[in-house]
Amino acid sequence: MRRLSLALFFAAGPVYAQQPAPVPAVVTLEDVLRIVERSPRVAVSRLEADMARAERAQAGALLNPTLSLSRATPSAGARTDFDANSQQQAMIELPVPVFGQRGARMQAADLQIGRAESQLLLTRIETRRLAALAYVRLAGANEQLAARRTALANVERLRGLVEGRQQGGLASRYDLARADAELALAHLGAQRALTDVGEQSAALAGLVDAPGWRPQPANNLVELRAQLALEDATLAINPALQVARSETAAAQARIEVARRERYPVPALQLGRSWTSGPYGASNFVGLVSEIPILDTRRALEDRAVAEHGAVRERERVLGASLAAELDKQREALAVRRQALERFEREVFQRQDAFLEMAESAYRLGRGTLFELLDARRTQLEATIARIELMTSIVETELELRALAGTL
């Protein structure tokens, strides 16, 4: 029984070692970017880089020699082959790539490692971008939920005000019913906002393979905007462009490999032959080589050249696309910043005063319930519009950081 318990313990050890580390319930953006480093997609890209390193080791390996042993004995007729009871032969054949095939393969493998490492960087940046976008949207949804809950509390207070006025004969039953309907709509809006928070939280959890995780943001949109602000974004170190450049260099190296592979690989032969009864021996040295006259392997070189041309054109297309995307994001950021500044100055900062005036007029009997509810609804819509505009600004700044490769 004791041996069985120890066996179960050691068998379960690797399972326990693979358990993911616990994730906090309240996270900052830095926490999310750190946690997402163990995302499955990043792990896959890291393993692909390890595969490229293994292929580099394989490309640098020398070709194995070939050993052959044979024995011959007389069968019938006169002994014209050898005058002995038996003949033995041993031979070693060693391929010698004298035309630079090994060096070309090693260089191509080195460039392929660089391409895999660039792809790993791109995967990390893209995963961090997706996680940061989910975090920003979660922060925006959280602020919308807070705004709708505040609006719900205001409607509950206004409903109590209408009920008190109705009991005093200063409001009709229709006013109370209208206030009840507004309260129900406020409850529905808060419920939808809560559902949106859950969806964004689940999307963030899916990026790090934590199904039961429902994180809450520790940063608000104002903090995120200050943290992600980037005034001058360029494509100098864009990870997608780095992958494209690495792929172009690797394709160029594969052309050289294809050219070198067109040359045959000669093999050096060393052997010894001896007989028994009577004994006699001889040594020999030989050289064997393929004669590339039927298949010159020109098609492999042509294919490598065409592949390099296609990769180079894809790099140009990608560069133009990223430049256009960078300009679009810059223009969108400038427009949205101006829109937010104008909206805060002309609309948002006046909403509290408008609601206060409408409520005072209603209390004094100089305003109607519709005017009061309209002022309250306008305040909520202005708050939601400001949150959505700030969310879009932070998302744009995040996209600029991802394009610049500084996320």
Side-chain angles (χ1 to χ4, degrees), residues 68-72 81-82 84 86-92 270-276 278-285:
S68 63
L69 299 173
S70 62
R71 175 184 175 85
D81 292 337
F82 57 89
S86 64
Q87 177 179 344
Q88 291 73 234
Q89 181 174 310
M91 182 176 63
I92 294 180
L270 301 176
R272 180 178 178 83
S273 177
W274 67 94
T275 60
S276 299
Y279 173 78
S282 63
N283 299 324
F284 65 90
V285 178

Side-chain angles (χ1 to χ4, degrees), residues 3-214:
R3 292 181 179 179
L4 178 61
S5 301
L6 289 175
L8 292 176
F9 173 78
F10 286 112
V15 177
Y16 290 121
Q18 296 174 1
Q19 294 298 322
V23 288
V26 180
V27 290
T28 62
L29 179 60
E30 292 83 358
D31 294 334
V32 169
L33 296 181
R34 185 181 66 255
I35 292 171
V36 83
E37 287 291 334
R38 59 173 183 260
S39 169
R41 64 178 65 192
V42 176
V44 169
S45 188
R46 188 176 291 113
L47 290 175
E48 289 176 351
D50 294 338
M51 291 168 56
R53 296 185 185 94
E55 290 176 358
R56 167 60 178 82
Q58 181 181 2
L62 296 173
L63 297 176
N64 289 320
T66 301
L67 173 65
S68 63
L69 299 173
S70 62
R71 175 184 175 85
T73 57
S75 176
R79 296 190 175 188
T80 58
D81 292 337
F82 57 89
D83 189 12
N85 294 333
S86 64
Q87 177 179 344
Q88 291 73 234
Q89 181 174 310
M91 182 176 63
I92 294 180
E93 185 175 298
L94 178 63
V96 184
V98 296
F99 296 108
Q101 293 94 334
R102 178 171 174 267
R105 287 194 295 265
M106 291 171 61
Q107 183 179 4
D110 288 334
L111 292 174
Q112 195 63 30
I113 291 177
R115 190 264 177 200
E117 291 176 347
S118 298
Q119 182 62 47
L120 174 59
L121 176 62
L122 175 60
T123 303
R124 291 178 64 249
I125 292 293
E126 181 64 18
T127 305
R128 289 163 67 92
R129 183 186 74 87
L130 294 175
L133 279 175
Y135 184 85
V136 169
R137 291 166 183 167
L138 176 59
N142 216 38
E143 293 194 14
Q144 288 194 30
L145 176 61
R148 294 207 175 264
R149 284 176 173 173
T150 301
L152 175 60
N154 288 333
V155 174
E156 290 177 345
R157 182 178 56 81
L158 293 179
R159 196 268 180 194
L161 175 62
V162 173
E163 184 179 12
R165 290 176 61 83
Q166 193 266 339
Q167 293 176 356
L170 299 177
S172 64
R173 290 190 300 173
Y174 176 77
D175 289 344
L176 184 60
R178 183 65 183 84
D180 288 337
E182 192 72 16
L183 181 61
L185 291 175
H187 275 291
L188 182 59
Q191 182 181 0
R192 289 176 178 174
L194 182 61
T195 302
D196 190 24
V197 169
E199 291 178 355
Q200 299 299 336
S201 182
L204 183 57
L207 291 173
V208 296
D209 193 20
W213 187 38
R214 291 299 178 266

